Amino acid sequence: MTYIPHTDADRQAMLAAIGVDSIEALFDAVPGEHRFPALELPGPLSEMEVLAELYGLQDANTHAQNFAIFLGAGAYNHFIPSAANHILLRGEFYTAYTPYQPEVSQGTLQAIYEYQSMLCALTGMEAANASHYDGATSLAEAVIVAVNETRGKRRKIILSAGINPQYRDVVRTYMQGQDITVVGDDKVRDVNELAALMDDETAMLAVGYPNFFGQIEDLTGLAEKVHAGGALLTVVADPIMLALFKSPGELGADMVVGEGQPLGIPLSFGGPYLGYFACTKKLVRKISGRIVGETKDNRGQRAFVMTLRPREQDIRREKATSNICTNQGLMALAAGVYLSLMGKSGLKTVAELCYHKAHYAASEIGKLRNFSVDTDKPFFKEFMVKCPLPVDEINAVLLEEYGIVGGYDLGQDYPDRENTMLIAVTEMNTRAEIDALVAVLKEIVDGA
Amino acid sequence: MALEPLIYELSSPGRCGVHLPGLDVPASELPAALLRTELDLPEVSEVDVIRHYLRLSQLNYGIDKGFYPLGSCTMKYNPKVNEDAARLPGFAALHPLLDIEDAQGALMLMYHTQEWLAELSGMKGVSLQPAAGAQGEFAGILMIRKYHLSRGDTKRTRILVPNSAHGTNPATVSMAGYEAVELPSDENGDVDLDALLAACDDTVAGMMITVPSTLGLFEARLPDVIKAVHDCGGLMYMDGANMNAMMGVLKPGELGFDVMHYNLHKTFSTPHGGGGPGSGPVAVNEKLLPFLPGPIVGILEDAGSLDDVPLFGWVMPEQSIGRLKAFHGNFGIIVRAFTYMRMNGGSGLHDVSRYAVLNANYVRTALRDHYVVPHDRTCGHEVVLEGHWKDVPGIHALDISKRLMDYNFHPPTNYFPLIVPEALMIEPTETESKETLDAFIEAMKNIAREAHENPELLLEAPHITPVGRVDDVLAAKQLVLCCVPIPDWAGSPEFKTSTD
């Protein structure tokens, strides 16, 4: 009995106290013909045996610690300081649950409050919640907020095709039971063309910053247009980029959502990640998810507590705007610790390293015959390369022969972008790795 | 006065908590017009950060510190090996968009997790996509919706939900575009069968019910409930929050449920993380297989021989409700749950449920003479008490909870389920020893006595915690949500900061 501490004597004493002969007798209310079904499952293993099995499984994976990786497309290989993981392993943090009882949860509550504050600073917004599941569901929750803000009268949402295709899929999954129309992403449009789709049915317009292609679109004046049309502007932003580039708040956004994974959270095959969500003060009563506010205790001390609770499902039930309960709390803690460690100068340095290395890679690849780099718009850490061969063919050679994980094949999601590779470069990619990538690309084409 | 300064209050210009490498490539020109001019993040050293968060952690109560009988949340011990497993570089540094050939270890782990969850539930298929129980519920109701629509059955607009349900159930129903119809409970705390039969018609899409119920009870007439809903063409959803009482005890699929969710962070020992992340896989029977959220993991090519392994890959169910989140679910949580399942094996998981039920009944029996047990019969993995006494009307469940903190215990769940006045919902879990339960029982008995002899002790509790009772009304009134001054562009004059 792996984690069950009962001795035989304990069990006997407890059964006697209850007044039954066996544990089985406690299940008499379960319908007899279905009670105690056989489980066709393997038997228990020791910790040593389980670890041996896990070592075997992890060895079958091509992971970023053993390979140079230029794959991004929504999940990024950024540096995570050791100190961050040590904080996450504090049992007082990770074995606690939602801070419903503030007197024994001030650690979690203050950490969330600080996370909210740092997120506000980064996004230029006035309020943030304690997290959603990931960038995609944060965007879906923003849609719900926008429709509710119009009291349900406006039910059209404009999404840029430059938002991560998986995020747009998730928005459609969330909206399938509601009478809400999602438009605008049938083809790639610039922000002016998107704004031209606005009408008096539109509740929200959302763009990527950068967009899925890595480009930083010029958002100047977009908020005014969206607001003039009576709708809300949501910006899906890369949090690392915000250390260097104008905040969505400065650009007039009403909601800023996105994936917080770059902020100290491991790639971990896609999760758990961090759906961050920030908004204007005006919207704070309309958003879902937990929110921590400052207050005082009965001894006059500063204290923190979950606030605006009547919005939430456990109180409002069928009238709640979202069913979210468990969130990504520990990942918000990770982001808070990461932002504290990086701080004002460190995060900016990370962003600059990404920017310069990505531009170096783009410039070197751009010099290669038969490759063309899209430099139409400014970019941050990802850029598009039109390749002379299918992307999967190039990637196969890169990985099998040179130990390099190549970029994302945009043709999977955008039929007009076949043979186009989306390359991500972060502070983790050394010049030697970039030079190796460039050399191999050259060789592949020269040899073709 | 503050227990611990804010990280911003520790800030000193010029400090930084990391050492980053220098630039090893030529610098490129930055687009000046697009850059920001300010960034209000703290400036602290690594040791500042470690001490700050370590001190914060010490203001918390977690399972590693002591007994945490928060009902409905299954706060069992979180084995340390789980944490090591999820942090193995082959899992933690694995990019989600790699070709399947490069992620076979992760895919195999996910495939086996699906198989274990299918076997435990008696269901036919599993998707690991949902990030939490509430998202699993949402997936389940969307699948029920799509099932009816796929049959051209468009008149079903309502989902039945007992009044004892978790708040996530009715909220889920609304999110999926259905009307939630609340069903009363009978005097035993079970679904009122007459009310159910009266509500069942061809507008009912399905019903959501928790097993054992949120009162911690196995409902004797559950087969009748399932039959009534099936007879009117509805499907049955089982909220699996209480699966810790069910493993090897009852397979929901065999009983007739069509769809259910698991909470890996409850039943399978993955940590609650101060609020999350969790993982809420959904399991379905044959009817709903085509609608599972995807992609799920399947076998693309069978193994060539016994010594060989098959090729695992992504499969999108043909009429899937779609994708619930980016990528593939909370993989790191799935690794922890898989580790736990392998350690326990099928027999160990059955023991988990047996001992979880033993512990809850032991607590119930010991406290029944001191607290009102509204439905005093053999319970499942948790027991619900009433946290008040007629002869001391000024004492509420919340006061008992706060007083428990003085005895170094985390309080039970308060005020849920809603159908029990002043509810105290106690879920001991199987990982607690008889000694721990005895100490808790003793504390609860003491508190019952104190309530009668010295009620002030309860009303003023807690006494030994880092903060006393916290003013949540003030928090909602002043609404200080951020300590960073808001830049000019926000221009919202009513906005206050904590430095005001």
Side-chain angles (χ1 to χ4, degrees):
Chain A
M1 296 202 297
T2 312
Y3 302 109
I4 300 172
H6 301 61
T7 63
D8 287 344
D10 291 338
R11 187 182 66 248
Q12 294 305 338
M14 292 170 80
L15 288 171
I18 297 167
V20 291
D21 294 334
S22 66
I23 294 182
E24 283 63 34
L26 298 172
F27 294 93
D28 284 352
V30 176
E33 68 274 29
H34 297 294
R35 199 185 306 153
F36 304 133
L39 293 177
E40 306 266 323
L41 293 170
L45 293 177
S46 67
E47 189 167 315
M48 275 188 287
E49 291 165 307
V50 171
L51 283 171
E53 179 172 309
L54 291 165
Y55 294 147
L57 288 169
Q58 71 147 351
D59 286 346
N61 296 328
T62 302
H63 59 86
Q65 267 188 9
N66 289 352
F67 296 85
I69 178 161
F70 292 95
L71 181 58
Y76 300 93
N77 184 36
H78 284 289
F79 177 67
I80 303 174
S82 294
N85 189 41
H86 285 263
I87 295 294
L88 290 200
L89 280 170
R90 289 293 302 187
E92 301 93 325
F93 276 134
Y94 84 82
T95 72
Y97 190 38
T98 304
Y100 293 119
Q101 301 284 353
E103 297 85 0
V104 287
S105 313
Q106 284 299 303
T108 295
L109 287 161
Q110 183 170 332
I112 296 172
Y113 177 80
E114 293 175 353
Y115 159 79
Q116 289 174 185
S117 299
M118 288 185 259
L119 207 58
C120 287
L122 203 52
T123 57
M125 303 305 285
E126 295 161 306
N129 75 8
S131 69
H132 282 298
Y133 305 131
D134 69 0
T137 70
S138 257
L139 178 61
E141 296 278 358
V143 171
I144 296 172
V145 173
V147 172
N148 286 333
E149 178 65 3
T150 72
R151 295 174 197 278
K153 286 181 189 141
R154 293 178 172 225
R155 308 192 75 86
K156 184 171 127 182
I157 302 296
I158 301 172
L159 295 186
S160 161
I163 291 173
N164 188 322
Q166 295 199 359
Y167 291 19
R168 291 184 277 116
D169 286 349
V170 170
V171 168
R172 288 189 164 87
T173 303
Y174 267 60
M175 298 311 141
Q176 63 191 273
Q178 307 285 346
D179 175 28
I180 291 172
T181 318
V182 179
V183 301
D185 61 341
D186 51 319
K187 62 172 189 166
V188 177
R189 293 180 165 87
D190 69 25
V191 295
N192 291 322
E193 291 170 312
L194 272 184
L197 300 176
M198 294 265 306
D199 59 22
D200 57 12
E201 286 294 304
T202 307
M204 182 180 107
L205 184 150
V207 294
Y209 183 67
N211 64 24
F212 189 63
F213 316 117
Q215 300 163 324
I216 305 170
E217 296 182 74
D218 185 1
L219 303 184
T220 314
L222 179 62
E224 283 79 358
K225 281 184 201 163
V226 173
H227 294 158
L232 298 179
L233 174 63
T234 295
V235 172
V236 185
D238 175 340
I240 301 275
M241 189 181 99
L242 299 185
L244 200 52
F245 288 83
K246 275 183 186 160
S247 73
E250 188 172 358
L251 296 164
D254 301 284
M255 288 180 274
V256 187
V257 302
E259 183 49 69
Q261 178 269 330
L263 304 176
I265 296 167
L267 285 167
S268 194
F269 207 43
Y273 285 177
L274 169 66
Y276 78 78
F277 190 108
C279 65
T280 58
K281 193 85 184 262
K282 182 169 171 276
L283 291 174
V284 75
R285 289 169 197 278
K286 300 275 172 64
I287 70 174
S288 59
R290 293 168 187 148
I291 302 171
V292 172
E294 189 192 309
T295 186
K296 284 190 170 22
D297 75 349
N298 61 5
R299 305 170 201 164
Q301 303 180 101
R302 177 169 71 192
F304 299 92
V305 68
M306 293 200 292
T307 193
L308 301 179
R309 290 272 294 127
R311 299 165 298 121
E312 295 191 55
Q313 48 75 26
D314 54 328
I315 297 175
R316 187 154 286 179
R317 300 177 74 88
E318 71 274 6
K319 294 194 181 64
T321 59
S322 168
N323 69 352
I324 189 166
C325 178
T326 290
N327 60 13
Q328 303 286 116
L330 198 68
M331 305 294 102
L333 175 68
V337 175
Y338 175 88
L339 287 170
S340 301
L341 287 164
M342 287 293 168
K344 181 185 279 198
S345 63
L347 195 68
K348 188 167 175 227
T349 304
V350 169
E352 285 169 348
L353 288 169
C354 292
Y355 181 89
H356 294 305
K357 285 169 185 263
H359 282 74
Y360 171 72
S363 147
E364 293 300 305
I365 294 169
K367 291 174 191 165
L368 299 178
R369 190 166 57 85
N370 297 328
F371 284 90
S372 77
V373 174
D374 189 317
T375 52
D376 241 18
K377 296 192 171 85
F379 62 94
F380 174 54
K381 67 184 179 191
E382 273 181 305
F383 56 91
M384 288 184 286
V385 180
K386 180 86 178 172
C387 306
L389 295 168
V391 173
D392 56 350
E393 284 180 31
I394 296 175
N395 278 341
V397 177
L398 279 171
L399 185 60
E400 280 154 32
E401 295 178 28
Y402 301 94
I404 295 173
V405 176
Y408 183 75
D409 182 359
L410 278 173
Q412 299 172 70
D413 308 296
Y414 302 90
D416 57 336
R417 300 203 175 182
E418 66 170 357
N419 294 2
T420 304
M421 188 189 282
L422 181 67
I423 293 181
V425 186
T426 72
E427 77 280 8
M428 300 289 273
N429 296 110
T430 61
R431 178 173 188 155
E433 289 179 4
I434 297 169
D435 289 342
L437 170 71
V438 175
V440 179
L441 290 179
K442 180 170 189 303
E443 201 177 301
I444 289 172
V445 180
D446 286 352
Chain B
M1 198 185 141
L3 290 170
E4 167 65 17
L6 293 168
I7 190 82
Y8 278 92
E9 292 165 349
L10 299 169
S11 185
S12 188
R15 287 215 179 103
C16 182
V18 284
H19 300 278
L20 292 160
L23 189 60
D24 58 357
V25 300
S28 302
E29 198 182 335
L30 286 159
L34 303 179
L35 303 182
R36 74 190 289 165
T37 52
E38 47 55 61
L39 180 62
D40 198 356
L41 291 178
E43 300 184 84
V44 286
S45 66
E46 179 175 327
V47 67
D48 291 335
V49 173
I50 289 293
R51 287 182 180 156
H52 172 68
Y53 282 102
L54 187 126
R55 287 189 303 248
L56 284 183
S57 77
Q58 291 170 333
L59 304 178
N60 261 9
Y61 192 97
I63 300 165
D64 280 2
K65 221 166 179 174
F67 186 48
Y68 205 128
L70 191 68
S72 201
C73 299
T74 314
M75 303 299 285
K76 64 172 72 178
Y77 173 66
N78 306 141
K80 298 299 167 192
V81 65
N82 294 354
E83 297 305 304
D84 288 349
R87 284 170 172 81
L88 292 173
F91 299 136
L94 189 64
H95 195 286
L97 294 172
L98 285 168
D99 289 341
I100 56 167
E101 291 80 3
D102 300 313
Q104 283 297 300
L107 288 164
M108 188 194 270
L109 185 151
M110 292 177 76
Y111 182 82
H112 286 307
T113 304
Q114 291 173 185
E115 295 288 294
W116 278 70
L117 297 179
E119 173 62 17
L120 285 165
S121 59
M123 294 287 187
K124 291 288 184 290
V126 170
S127 170
L128 302 176
Q129 274 246 330
Q135 213 189 20
E137 291 178 28
F138 186 43
I141 299 304
L142 288 179
M143 282 189 271
I144 289 175
R145 179 178 176 275
K146 202 148 183 186
Y147 167 82
H148 290 306
L149 292 180
S150 75
R151 295 153 49 92
D153 189 347
T154 54
K155 51 185 183 304
R156 296 183 187 269
T157 55
R158 307 189 301 154
I159 299 266
L160 310 177
V161 183
N163 60 0
S164 58
H166 298 113
T168 48
N169 292 178
T172 296
V173 169
S174 300
M175 260 179 103
Y178 281 118
E179 179 196 347
V181 178
E182 191 175 277
L183 292 179
S185 301
D186 64 18
E187 66 278 9
N188 296 319
D190 297 343
V191 173
D192 183 327
L193 213 53
D194 293 334
L196 170 67
L197 286 167
C200 282
D201 60 24
D202 63 1
T203 67
V204 169
M207 175 173 180
M208 299 182 88
I209 188 169
T210 307
V211 183
S213 73
T214 58
L215 292 164
L217 303 173
F218 285 103
E219 302 200 21
R221 291 188 298 178
L222 198 50
D224 301 328
V225 172
I226 294 172
K227 183 173 185 302
V229 174
H230 280 165
D231 282 351
C232 75
L235 297 188
M236 284 301 294
Y237 185 95
M238 195 192 91
D239 181 327
N242 295 345
M243 270 309 279
N244 213 44
M246 299 272 279
M247 292 184 290
V249 171
L250 176 64
K251 290 182 174 177
E254 284 185 4
L255 197 63
F257 280 100
D258 300 287
V259 48
M260 64 166 287
H261 80 265
Y262 285 94
N263 300 82
L264 299 188
H265 49 294
K266 296 182 181 177
T267 316
F268 299 97
S269 81
T270 78
H272 284 68
S279 175
V282 276
V284 297
N285 67 9
E286 214 131 32
K287 272 185 200 155
L288 294 177
L289 268 182
F291 306 103
L292 276 173
I296 59 176
V297 182
I299 291 178
L300 302 190
E301 284 170 28
D302 284 324
S305 70
L306 278 178
D307 305 327
D308 217 354
V309 288
L311 178 71
F312 298 96
W314 302 116
V315 178
M316 198 67 182
E318 53 199 271
Q319 299 176 72
S320 173
I321 57 163
R323 179 181 272 293
L324 282 165
K325 63 190 290 297
F327 310 121
H328 325 302
N330 277 342
F331 177 75
I333 304 302
I334 294 162
V335 174
R336 290 171 172 89
F338 175 79
T339 305
Y340 178 78
M341 291 192 291
R342 290 295 278 146
M343 294 243 353
N344 278 286
S347 57
L349 292 176
H350 181 47
D351 281 339
V352 163
S353 290
R354 291 170 70 235
Y355 282 84
V357 171
L358 176 70
N359 276 3
N361 279 289
Y362 182 67
V363 171
R364 177 182 60 84
T365 312
L367 292 179
R368 68 199 309 178
D369 294 335
H370 306 268
Y371 290 81
V372 175
V373 182
H375 303 288
D376 191 13
R377 60 184 210 245
T378 304
C379 62
H381 64 307
E382 61 195 356
V383 57
V384 180
L385 313 179
E386 291 187 17
H388 65 152
W389 297 271
K390 283 197 179 106
D391 47 346
V392 271
I395 297 290
H396 297 277
L398 195 70
D399 304 314
I400 297 167
S401 282
K402 301 302 182 193
R403 183 61 182 154
L404 265 172
M405 297 175 187
D406 287 337
Y407 287 88
N408 287 307
F409 293 112
H410 194 281
T413 293
N414 286 159
Y415 303 115
F416 180 79
L418 306 178
I419 58 172
V420 173
E422 300 288 334
L424 285 171
M425 185 191 223
I426 300 167
E427 182 179 9
T429 84
E430 74 286 356
T431 60
E432 299 301 334
S433 67
K434 179 171 177 292
E435 289 89 332
T436 299
L437 299 182
D438 286 339
F440 174 74
I441 288 162
E442 206 46 43
M444 287 293 285
K445 288 181 184 172
N446 278 342
I447 291 171
R449 195 171 51 245
E450 289 167 357
H452 291 82
E453 294 171 1
N454 189 1
E456 289 302 307
L457 267 180
L458 277 69
L459 293 170
E460 288 166 11
H463 301 85
I464 65 161
T465 49
V467 297
R469 287 211 196 183
V470 167
D471 188 346
D472 49 6
V473 175
L474 175 67
K477 191 174 154 208
Q478 67 179 15
L479 219 53
V480 175
L481 308 176
C482 160
C483 66
V484 180
I486 296 307
D488 288 344
W489 63 79
S492 170
E494 75 276 25
F495 191 78
K496 280 184 66 178
T497 74
S498 70
T499 50
D500 283 353

